[in-house]
Amino acid sequence: MAPYLLGLRLGGRRVLVVGGGRVAQRRVPALLAAGAEVVLVAPEVTPALDDLIRDGRVTWHARPYAQGDCAGAWLVQAVTDDGKVNGAVAAEAEAARIWCVRADDADASAAWTPASGQVGETTVGVLAGGDPRRAAGIRDAVVDGLRDATLEGRHSRHKPVGVALVGGGPGDPGLITVRGRQLLAQADVVVTDRLAPRELLDELAADVEVVDAAKIPYGRTVTQDRINDYLVEYARQGKFVVRLKGGDPFVFGRGGEEVIHCARHGIPVTVVPGITSAVAAPSAAGIPVTHRGVAQDFHVVSAHIAPDAAASTVDWQALGRAQGTLVLLMAVERMALIAETLVRYGRTPDTPVAVVQDGTLPGQRTVTATLATVAGVMEAEAIRPPAIVVVGDVVAVAREVDMIRADLGRDP
Ligand code: SAH
């Protein structure tokens, strides 16, 4: 017969645990977490149980079980390693109409402990016909599904509202945050970018509307305004909108403008940080942006506007003089001029440079050069966006690691 699953609210109610070994050690914390008043009967206890006793969280009677111990308990756990003792405990409980769980003999047990887990306010309990491993496996799958919201998704009562600006990470779909994935799974509408990881969209339910921001109609110059309007329009229809961006939404992503626009229109907006390509692309290529004794600072620079353009607000002179690592975004088309500018303002022409294209993606590749040679190398290697340019001695750290590995490989 199938068991009848209950959620016991044990707050302030006495639970008798007979036995002080490993099973007790596993069950007592869960009973305490449910607020039970735990009374433990056992001649000896494990160190972990002893800690709980000393903290005053468990009452311990340091002796073997004796007839009459069940009196006053709402629930009994018979978890000694002696079947006879467990049987005697169960018999006393049965006679007193108290539910008793026997650890040693599932068939003889009046009640079973499900594999359980807690995610927010949801408690999961799984019984798998007396197969505890299978129950634990199913519990894990359900708990994982709840954590990343793939299980309940958009039909939850706790569905978020408004707009969430979600950083999708640098490209590898595994590098979005857990929170980002959760919100994505709950979205009614996803407004996405060219650089946001595509694979994440494949997981969405068929009725989720996916809007490619690059394809929103109207002239090019007003595209950002149209995106802003879209976010507000959808949110006003009561839809939960995820604005999915590459990297971090606030690193050269115009996320700030979108937040301001939503705020102006009274739309609640949350921001979920993402792993920025500025750090992740170098790191995926083995280049640490800081390294003890080599670089204590790193500068993340947009090269979207050329160094010699009037509209540039970047202090290239200071970057030329600075010692730290430079991380250049959107620099592919202008690298000759940038390298020249940096050398003019103080960097030596032989400063190491690495260019990481498609960082963290399957097609990731790195080319290395110096400030003197980088433009030519990039052209010869046909480097295309998206790519990150790293300037500074940290580039050599990746080479050092490669050399160490090669040396080890050569050893007999
Ligand atoms: N918000 C994003 C940056 C947007 S600007 C972030 O935090 O990562 C776009 C630039 O980011 C590209 O021109 C390129 O320089 C860089 N970029 C984004 N993804 C990249 C990747 N996977 N590999 C290398 N560079 C990348």
Side-chain angles (χ1 to χ4, degrees), residues 35-379:
E37 176 204 327
V38 176
V39 176
L40 189 70
V41 173
E44 284 164 68
V45 296
T46 66
L49 287 168
D50 199 36
D51 286 346
L52 294 172
I53 292 160
R54 264 190 274 172
D55 288 349
R57 303 185 61 200
V58 170
T59 308
W60 180 29
H61 300 298
R63 55 165 174 77
Y65 160 76
Q67 183 74 23
D69 279 347
C70 293
W74 289 81
L75 175 70
V76 175
Q77 293 268 354
V79 294
T80 73
D81 54 9
D82 184 334
K84 274 205 216 102
V85 174
N86 292 346
V89 175
E92 185 197 336
E94 184 79 19
R97 305 194 172 203
I98 300 168
W99 289 104
C100 178
V101 181
R102 267 184 81 163
D104 59 317
D105 187 342
D107 283 340
S109 189
W112 292 334
T113 306
S116 63
Q118 187 78 30
V119 182
E121 283 173 356
T122 305
T123 309
V124 177
V126 181
L127 292 171
D131 181 344
R133 277 172 179 244
R134 184 156 169 262
I138 296 169
R139 184 264 327 269
D140 290 346
V142 175
V143 165
D144 287 350
L146 287 173
R147 289 231 166 94
D148 65 19
T150 47
L151 252 192
E152 56 179 344
R154 298 181 297 135
H155 306 297
S156 151
R157 268 196 293 149
H158 302 290
K159 208 177 103 159
V161 294
V163 173
L165 224 64
V166 173
D172 177 339
L175 292 175
I176 188 174
T177 62
V178 173
R179 176 77 48 77
R181 265 191 87 135
Q182 280 170 351
L183 293 181
L184 200 54
Q186 291 174 295
D188 298 310
V189 181
V190 178
V191 181
T192 178
D193 258 359
R194 198 168 32 92
L195 286 173
R198 297 259 123 211
E199 288 90 338
L200 293 172
L201 305 177
D202 298 342
E203 293 171 9
L204 300 173
D207 59 337
V208 177
E209 196 171 335
V210 177
V211 181
D212 185 339
K215 297 205 181 115
I216 291 179
Y218 289 80
R220 263 185 147 258
T221 46
V222 295
T223 304
Q224 187 62 46
D225 293 342
R226 289 293 301 158
I227 294 171
N228 292 347
D229 291 344
Y230 254 70
L231 300 180
V232 169
E233 271 168 38
Y234 279 116
R236 283 220 172 118
Q237 289 168 25
K239 292 178 172 162
F240 173 53
V241 185
V242 166
R243 172 74 172 109
L244 183 65
K245 289 173 170 287
D248 183 275
F250 282 177
V251 177
F252 308 130
R254 307 192 70 167
E257 293 164 54
E258 291 168 12
V259 170
I260 290 170
H261 188 83
C262 288
R264 268 201 194 120
H265 290 79
I267 304 292
V269 43
T270 46
V271 179
V272 181
I275 298 181
T276 179
S277 65
V279 177
S283 119
I287 302 167
V289 289
T290 70
H291 193 65
R292 200 159 61 89
V294 177
Q296 293 184 44
D297 54 338
F298 64 99
H299 309 253
V300 178
V301 183
S302 163
H304 180 57
I305 295 170
D308 58 353
S312 175
T313 56
V314 176
D315 187 347
W316 289 96
Q317 281 196 19
L319 295 176
R321 275 196 310 268
Q323 298 281 304
T325 307
L326 299 186
V327 179
L328 308 172
L329 280 73
M330 298 175 274
V332 171
E333 276 122 50
R334 273 170 282 280
M335 206 43 220
L337 180 60
I338 291 166
E340 208 182 289
T341 306
L342 289 172
V343 170
R344 173 150 24 98
Y345 290 134
R347 299 261 174 172
T348 59
D350 61 356
T351 304
V353 179
V355 184
V356 186
Q357 179 181 326
D358 294 323
T360 79
L361 289 162
Q364 174 180 321
R365 64 188 181 123
T366 309
V367 300
T368 51
T370 64
L371 278 179
T373 62
V374 63
V377 170
M378 282 172 76
E379 193 170 345

